[in-house]
């Protein structure tokens, strides 16, 4: 967990910053694609975001594609 206060994972951060290689590496290492943040993200009105939701929220198409493969 990158930020234990809101349960952000490395995969969430990679999705937020469109880091496709990091996403692929984390998935290969067994990262949880369904992990959810604990609270509403500071830049979103939605609670409990998944890594895919992070990518979509920041309009990172390549990150979203990597998460859906």
């Amino acid at each position: 967990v990158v930020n234990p206060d809101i349960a952000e994972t490395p995969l969430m951060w990679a999705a937020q910053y469109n880091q496709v290689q990091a996403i692929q590496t984390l998935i290969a290492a067994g990262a949880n694609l369904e992990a959810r943040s604990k609270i509403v993200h500071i830049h979103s009105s939605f609670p409990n975001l998944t890594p895919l939701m992070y990518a979509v929220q920041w309009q990172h198409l390549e990150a979203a594609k990597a998460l859906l493969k």
Side-chain angles (χ1 to χ4, degrees), residues 14-39:
Q16 180 176 340
Y17 293 103
N18 203 31
Q19 298 297 311
V20 175
Q21 182 63 44
I23 290 169
Q24 293 167 339
T25 300
L26 289 164
I27 290 171
N32 182 356
L33 292 166
E34 298 302 320
R36 292 183 176 266
S37 59
K38 282 187 194 175
I39 64 172

